[in-house]
Amino acid sequence: AQTVTQSQPEMSVQEAETVTLSCTYDTSESDYYLFWYKQPPSRQMILVIRQEAYKQQNATENRFSVNFQKAAKSFSLKISDSQLGDAAMYFCAYRTGNQFYFGTGTSLTVIP
Amino acid sequence: GEEVAQTPKHLVRGEGQKAKLYCAPIKGHSYVFWYQQVLKNEFKFLISFQNENVFDETGMPKERFSAKCLPNSPCSLEIQATKLEDSAVYFCASSLLPGRNTEAFFGQGTRLTVV
């Protein structure tokens, strides 16, 4: 069975600092994709970054980067130079062909 | 359209009433997913479609929930005889391909409140 675990229900970071959100997953598949979605209070789910499991290189999107450790089944998100607009729920997700599996989310607070 | 459109944004139903939610996927996207989000965190998969065909319905409580995606119409999720525990935000998402690399684009959700 596929499961996604986010062990940090809440995190906070000072504005302009760096924060890392953790995610682990469990799967028996060898080819899959991982995603981080952001959900602000507006409820809109916004894709932050994605990672192909067959790529060893960690994905990067501007201030967002991942640390993908395939053997450990770990997929953490690093947010650099945190901004007030980064405050939101962050969901880690794993995709098979039929559906996405989501973690329970990490609520990120950015302190001015 | 260029975004997934869900209607209505909010829906209030008395216990036992029917609720019907709609989703227009992004034009050209063949895959549609429905998720139920309870208490702002847990996403429960309900059902997915490939065009008008059910792709995976392992998450659907079949006794009261049904869903359709018909050609040239918005997809719909219907709950017969709603219960208090059905109160949640229901998200629809669409994707271009079934492949594992393609992201899902989400609508803004429908908040269903059963009173």
Side-chain angles (χ1 to χ4, degrees):
Chain A
Q2 289 92 353
T3 59
V4 180
T5 302
Q6 292 180 249
S7 59
Q8 306 152 315
E10 298 177 348
M11 291 283 285
S12 61
V13 62
Q14 207 76 33
E15 197 175 1
E17 296 295 311
T18 296
V19 65
T20 298
L21 309 182
S22 64
C23 172
T24 58
Y25 59 94
D26 187 21
T27 181
S28 55
E29 298 191 23
S30 58
D31 181 23
Y32 51 88
Y33 285 77
L34 297 160
F35 303 85
W36 277 97
Y37 279 89
K38 169 185 176 183
Q39 187 180 40
S42 67
R43 288 202 318 240
Q44 182 69 53
M45 289 285 280
I46 303 163
L47 179 70
V48 174
I49 199 165
R50 68 179 172 190
Q51 174 77 44
E52 296 91 335
Y54 65 87
K55 285 189 178 177
Q56 290 192 338
Q57 186 174 6
N58 290 323
T60 300
E61 287 287 340
N62 301 314
R63 297 183 295 107
F64 299 88
S65 61
V66 300
N67 182 3
F68 174 49
Q69 303 288 330
K70 190 171 182 179
K73 294 181 181 174
S74 169
F75 180 59
S76 60
L77 175 69
K78 185 170 88 171
I79 307 174
S80 304
D81 185 26
S82 297
Q83 300 175 359
L84 294 177
D86 295 334
M89 283 289 287
Y90 286 82
F91 291 92
C92 176
Y94 160 98
R95 178 170 185 176
T96 67
N98 296 349
Q99 59 174 289
F100 285 74
Y101 294 87
F102 289 90
T104 50
T106 296
S107 177
L108 179 66
T109 300
V110 181
I111 303 165
Chain B
E2 292 298 316
E3 59 180 28
V4 177
Q6 286 190 251
T7 56
K9 282 192 169 57
H10 303 278
L11 189 59
V12 179
R13 286 290 178 265
E15 211 174 354
Q17 290 186 316
K18 183 174 76 174
K20 195 163 185 178
L21 291 59
Y22 297 92
C23 168
I26 292 173
K27 191 176 178 182
H29 282 194
S30 304
Y31 288 82
V32 171
F33 305 81
W34 283 99
Y35 282 86
Q36 179 193 56
Q37 187 183 28
V38 179
L39 297 175
K40 289 191 178 181
N41 46 21
E42 183 183 349
F43 278 88
K44 182 188 171 189
F45 170 74
L46 294 175
I47 191 169
S48 60
F49 287 86
Q50 177 184 3
N51 297 312
E52 63 267 26
N53 302 308
V54 174
F55 199 48
D56 183 342
E57 57 180 348
T58 52
M60 282 288 269
K62 291 182 184 175
E63 60 278 5
R64 295 186 298 111
F65 284 61
S66 62
K68 293 179 187 176
C69 276
L70 300 175
N72 303 313
S73 296
C75 296
S76 63
L77 176 69
E78 189 168 314
I79 309 172
Q80 302 286 342
T82 52
K83 297 182 178 181
L84 295 176
E85 68 227 39
D86 298 331
S87 294
V89 179
Y90 290 82
F91 283 96
C92 172
S94 70
S95 73
L96 183 60
L97 296 169
R100 294 169 173 83
N101 62 325
T102 53
E103 68 188 89
F105 293 82
F106 284 80
Q108 287 202 294
T110 293
R111 180 180 294 281
L112 173 65
T113 302
V114 181
V115 297

